[in-house]
Amino acid sequence: MFAEYRAKRINTGIKPSTLNREQSYLRAAFNECIRLDHWKKENPLSKLRAFKVQESELSFLNLDQIAILIERLATSKNSHVLMVSRVCLSTGARWGEAEGLRVSQIQNGLIQFVKTKSSKARSVPITADFEKALLNHFEEHGTGERLFATAYSSFREAIKATNLKLSDGQLTHILRHSFASHFMMNGGNILALQKLLGHYSLTMTMRYAHLSPDHLEEARRLNPIALLGR
């Protein structure tokens, strides 16, 4: 029944990745019913294969593009959008994690992110200068415990004004991709990146592994043509 439903949905133009998520949600629901002893049979989706999905392009901003974006954000009427963006670029935080920061989450050169997508708290180090800038921003613009007010629409306006080309479905997430990409290009460790991003699985973080300079250098040195000296 689900396979037939899935076939009808794919024919209407629904993306395979969306249907794979629906399948995983329903499979998880059956697994929970089995655990609670409400379902006595085998999980009906356990043997149904998910669609193979071509991995999408992983785009990020180079340093010149980041400089252009920061310059534009600095002129925004929204007093928070620049600092929220800097948090994302400095820590790899998701926009919602950065925008919802409270002053108590900034201590001793660390930002602690809580209520994350993976449900696990994580701490990311920042420079002393940036910590001071965040605390100064809180003193001037903070409300209650919160450092920032909503700034999403202002970020969207800045991206539009700079004419930066983003992949489909990306907006604020380009900041997180940019952090991770530059981290790896500058010699960062993939396991450390997994912890910084808060990925539950290393598989998700491995999307950035190909950017490692060690990886690229090995490709130059260890291919058969190079070894033959041709």
Side-chain angles (χ1 to χ4, degrees), residues 85-98:
S85 300
R86 288 185 62 189
V87 170
C88 294
L89 286 167
S90 298
T91 66
R94 299 174 181 88
W95 185 267
E97 294 172 340

Side-chain angles (χ1 to χ4, degrees), residues 48-79:
L48 181 65
R49 292 183 178 179
F51 288 120
K52 288 186 177 180
V53 178
Q54 182 67 35
E55 190 172 284
S56 59
E57 178 188 4
L58 191 63
S59 60
F60 61 92
L61 302 178
N62 60 39
L63 292 179
D64 289 338
Q65 291 171 322
I66 291 172
I68 291 170
L69 178 59
I70 288 177
E71 185 176 347
R72 180 63 184 81
L73 292 170
T75 67
S76 174
K77 294 179 181 179
N78 188 303
S79 59

Side-chain angles (χ1 to χ4, degrees), residues 12 30-31 34 48 50 52 57 68 90-91 100-101 108 117 124 147 151 167-168 174-175 217 219 224:
T12 63
F30 272 104
N31 284 337
I34 291 170
L48 181 65
K52 288 186 177 180
E57 178 188 4
I68 291 170
S90 298
T91 66
L101 276 176
N108 303 319
K117 188 175 180 180
V124 181
L147 273 78
S167 299
D168 291 342
I174 192 67
L175 303 177
E217 183 58 33

Side-chain angles (χ1 to χ4, degrees), residues 10-227:
I10 202 77
N11 288 335
T12 63
I14 302 300
K15 292 182 179 180
S17 58
T18 299
L19 294 171
N20 285 347
R21 281 195 295 273
E22 291 183 358
Q23 182 175 331
S24 67
Y25 295 154
L26 186 55
R27 184 174 63 246
F30 272 104
N31 284 337
E32 184 65 7
C33 288
I34 291 170
R35 187 186 71 82
L36 296 171
D37 208 29
H38 295 323
W39 182 261
K40 306 296 183 181
K41 300 180 181 180
E42 182 184 9
N43 189 322
L45 297 180
S46 61
K47 295 181 181 179
L48 181 65
R49 292 183 178 179
F51 288 120
K52 288 186 177 180
V53 178
Q54 182 67 35
E55 190 172 284
S56 59
E57 178 188 4
L58 191 63
S59 60
F60 61 92
L61 302 178
N62 60 39
L63 292 179
D64 289 338
Q65 291 171 322
I66 291 172
I68 291 170
L69 178 59
I70 288 177
E71 185 176 347
R72 180 63 184 81
L73 292 170
T75 67
S76 174
K77 294 179 181 179
N78 188 303
S79 59
H80 303 282
V81 64
L82 174 60
M83 293 303 289
V84 176
S85 300
R86 288 185 62 189
V87 170
C88 294
L89 286 167
S90 298
T91 66
R94 299 174 181 88
W95 185 267
E97 294 172 340
E99 198 177 60
L101 276 176
R102 296 179 177 275
V103 68
S104 58
Q105 293 173 245
I106 303 173
Q107 293 183 18
N108 303 319
L110 297 170
I111 296 181
Q112 184 179 58
F113 296 101
V114 295
K115 296 182 180 180
T116 63
K117 188 175 180 180
S118 65
S119 301
K120 292 185 177 180
R122 69 183 189 278
S123 295
V124 181
I126 56 175
T127 65
D129 287 344
F130 189 39
E131 180 178 13
K132 183 178 180 180
L134 286 170
L135 295 177
N136 288 341
H137 180 89
F138 174 72
E139 290 294 329
E140 187 174 354
H141 302 288
T143 302
E145 277 280 305
R146 288 193 58 169
L147 273 78
F148 309 120
T150 302
Y152 184 88
S153 60
S154 296
F155 182 82
R156 182 174 57 222
E157 291 170 3
I159 287 289
K160 186 176 181 180
T162 55
N163 292 318
L164 293 173
K165 303 301 182 184
L166 308 184
S167 299
D168 291 342
Q170 281 193 354
L171 186 62
T172 57
H173 219 61
I174 192 67
L175 303 177
R176 181 169 164 90
H177 285 321
S178 298
F179 166 85
S181 299
H182 285 277
F183 181 89
M184 290 305 300
M185 287 189 296
N186 287 288
N189 179 277
I190 193 70
L191 294 177
L193 182 61
Q194 179 191 5
K195 294 179 180 178
L196 292 171
L197 295 179
H199 283 162
Y200 184 79
S201 168
L202 182 60
T203 303
M204 298 178 66
T205 321
M206 287 301 294
R207 294 182 298 168
Y208 302 100
H210 70 284
L211 296 171
S212 168
D214 292 338
H215 173 90
L216 299 175
E217 183 58 33
E218 287 176 356
R220 292 189 187 97
R221 293 187 297 103
L222 302 181
N223 72 78
I225 295 298
L227 293 172

